[in-house]
Amino acid sequence: QVQLVESGGGLVQAGDSLTLSCTASGRTFSRHAMAWFRQAPGKERSFVAAINRNPRHTDYVDSVKGRFTISRDNDKNTVLLEMNDLKTEDTAVYYCAARHVILTVPLSHDLTDYNYWGQGTQVTVSS
Protein backbone atom coordinates (compact mmCIF):
# COMPACT_ATOMS: atom_id res chain seq x y z
CA GLN A 1 0.00 0.00 0.00
CA VAL A 2 1.26 3.45 -0.91
CA GLN A 3 -0.11 6.70 0.43
CA LEU A 4 0.57 9.90 -1.46
CA VAL A 5 0.41 13.43 -0.10
CA GLU A 6 0.71 16.44 -2.39
CA SER A 7 1.72 19.95 -1.37
CA GLY A 8 2.85 23.20 -2.93
CA GLY A 9 -0.27 24.40 -4.67
CA GLY A 10 -1.44 27.98 -4.49
CA LEU A 11 -2.53 31.14 -6.26
CA VAL A 12 -0.03 32.67 -8.65
CA GLN A 13 -0.02 35.06 -11.58
CA ALA A 14 0.52 34.14 -15.20
CA GLY A 15 4.21 33.78 -15.91
CA ASP A 16 5.08 32.76 -12.36
CA SER A 17 6.61 29.49 -11.22
CA LEU A 18 5.44 26.90 -8.70
CA THR A 19 6.79 23.55 -7.57
CA LEU A 20 4.48 20.77 -6.46
CA SER A 21 5.72 18.02 -4.19
CA CYS A 22 4.35 14.53 -3.62
CA THR A 23 5.62 12.43 -0.74
CA ALA A 24 4.94 8.71 -0.61
CA SER A 25 4.76 6.41 2.37
CA GLY A 26 6.22 2.94 2.43
CA ARG A 27 9.45 1.32 1.37
CA THR A 28 8.54 0.52 -2.24
CA PHE A 29 8.57 3.99 -3.74
CA SER A 30 11.48 3.18 -6.03
CA ARG A 31 9.44 0.35 -7.60
CA HIS A 32 6.75 2.73 -8.79
CA ALA A 33 6.42 4.89 -11.85
CA MET A 34 5.06 8.26 -10.76
CA ALA A 35 2.84 10.73 -12.55
CA TRP A 36 1.00 14.00 -12.22
CA PHE A 37 -2.52 14.47 -13.53
CA ARG A 38 -4.76 17.51 -13.32
CA GLN A 39 -8.45 18.23 -13.38
CA ALA A 40 -9.89 21.61 -14.27
CA PRO A 41 -13.46 22.53 -13.32
CA GLY A 42 -15.93 20.75 -15.56
CA LYS A 43 -13.25 18.70 -17.26
CA GLU A 44 -11.95 15.17 -16.96
CA ARG A 45 -8.74 14.35 -15.18
CA SER A 46 -5.88 14.38 -17.67
CA PHE A 47 -2.23 13.41 -17.84
CA VAL A 48 0.45 16.04 -17.23
CA ALA A 49 3.79 14.30 -16.69
CA ALA A 50 5.30 10.99 -15.64
CA ILE A 51 8.64 9.62 -14.55
CA ASN A 52 9.67 6.00 -14.60
CA ARG A 53 11.64 3.98 -12.09
CA ASN A 54 14.65 5.07 -14.11
CA PRO A 55 14.44 8.85 -13.61
CA ARG A 56 15.96 9.49 -17.03
CA HIS A 57 12.68 8.33 -18.56
CA THR A 58 10.08 11.07 -18.44
CA ASP A 59 7.09 12.07 -20.52
CA TYR A 60 4.92 15.16 -20.76
CA VAL A 61 1.70 16.28 -22.33
CA ASP A 62 2.50 18.58 -25.25
CA SER A 63 0.98 21.65 -23.60
CA VAL A 64 3.54 21.65 -20.76
CA LYS A 65 6.67 20.54 -22.60
CA GLY A 66 9.45 23.03 -22.05
CA ARG A 67 7.66 24.59 -19.06
CA PHE A 68 7.21 21.73 -16.58
CA THR A 69 9.83 19.33 -15.23
CA ILE A 70 9.15 16.15 -13.28
CA SER A 71 11.81 14.64 -11.05
CA ARG A 72 12.08 12.13 -8.24
CA ASP A 73 14.23 11.51 -5.18
CA ASN A 74 14.00 7.87 -4.15
CA ASP A 75 15.90 8.51 -0.92
CA LYS A 76 13.20 10.96 0.16
CA ASN A 77 10.24 9.12 -1.42
CA THR A 78 9.40 12.34 -3.24
CA VAL A 79 8.40 13.36 -6.73
CA LEU A 80 8.40 16.99 -7.78
CA LEU A 81 6.68 18.90 -10.54
CA GLU A 82 8.44 22.16 -11.30
CA MET A 83 6.11 24.45 -13.23
CA ASN A 84 7.43 27.53 -14.97
CA ASP A 85 5.77 30.20 -17.10
CA LEU A 86 2.39 29.24 -15.76
CA LYS A 87 -0.67 30.05 -17.84
CA THR A 88 -4.28 30.54 -16.83
CA GLU A 89 -5.12 27.27 -18.57
CA ASP A 90 -2.88 25.45 -16.09
CA THR A 91 -5.44 26.17 -13.38
CA ALA A 92 -6.61 22.84 -11.98
CA VAL A 93 -6.40 20.44 -9.09
CA TYR A 94 -3.16 18.52 -9.50
CA TYR A 95 -2.99 14.89 -8.44
CA CYS A 96 0.01 12.69 -7.81
CA ALA A 97 -0.31 9.05 -8.88
CA ALA A 98 1.79 5.92 -8.52
CA ARG A 99 1.94 2.77 -10.59
CA HIS A 100 3.78 -0.30 -9.41
CA VAL A 101 5.91 -1.69 -12.23
CA ILE A 102 8.03 -4.80 -12.06
CA LEU A 103 10.13 -3.82 -15.02
CA THR A 104 10.72 -0.55 -16.75
CA VAL A 105 7.61 -0.49 -18.89
CA PRO A 106 6.65 2.44 -21.10
CA LEU A 107 5.15 5.36 -19.24
CA SER A 108 1.39 5.53 -19.35
CA HIS A 109 -0.88 8.52 -19.87
CA ASP A 110 -3.92 6.45 -18.83
CA LEU A 111 -5.11 7.23 -15.34
CA THR A 112 -6.60 3.74 -15.00
CA ASP A 113 -3.08 2.31 -15.06
CA TYR A 114 -2.21 4.06 -11.80
CA ASN A 115 -2.91 2.25 -8.55
CA TYR A 116 -2.51 4.97 -5.95
CA TRP A 117 -3.60 8.59 -5.82
CA GLY A 118 -3.12 11.59 -3.60
CA GLN A 119 -5.87 13.93 -2.49
CA GLY A 120 -4.90 16.70 -4.87
CA THR A 121 -3.59 20.23 -4.53
CA GLN A 122 -5.15 23.31 -6.10
CA VAL A 123 -3.18 25.45 -8.52
CA THR A 124 -4.82 28.70 -9.61
CA VAL A 125 -3.18 30.95 -12.17
CA SER A 126 -4.60 34.44 -12.53
CA SER A 127 -4.13 36.69 -15.54
Side-chain angles (χ1 to χ4, degrees), residues 8-101:
L11 172 63
V12 296
Q13 292 187 329
D16 284 352
S17 298
L18 202 60
T19 297
L20 304 183
S21 178
C22 173
T23 301
S25 65
R27 296 177 291 179
T28 62
F29 177 76
S30 63
R31 301 176 190 174
H32 290 75
M34 303 298 297
W36 288 93
F37 287 77
R38 64 186 178 187
Q39 187 166 17
K43 295 187 177 181
E44 295 184 348
R45 194 172 301 189
S46 64
F47 172 81
V48 177
I51 186 166
N52 218 327
R53 290 178 59 177
N54 181 340
R56 294 179 297 177
H57 297 160
T58 59
D59 195 13
Y60 300 88
V61 67
D62 286 346
S63 61
V64 308
K65 285 181 180 178
R67 300 189 298 122
F68 290 13
T69 301
I70 188 171
S71 61
R72 67 188 296 161
D73 185 335
N74 288 340
D75 291 333
K76 297 181 179 179
N77 280 15
T78 299
V79 59
L80 300 178
L81 184 68
E82 181 181 352
M83 306 184 292
N84 297 312
D85 190 22
L86 282 160
K87 305 178 185 301
T88 55
E89 52 264 41
D90 295 318
T91 295
V93 178
Y94 283 71
Y95 296 90
C96 177
R99 177 191 185 196
H100 184 261
V101 290

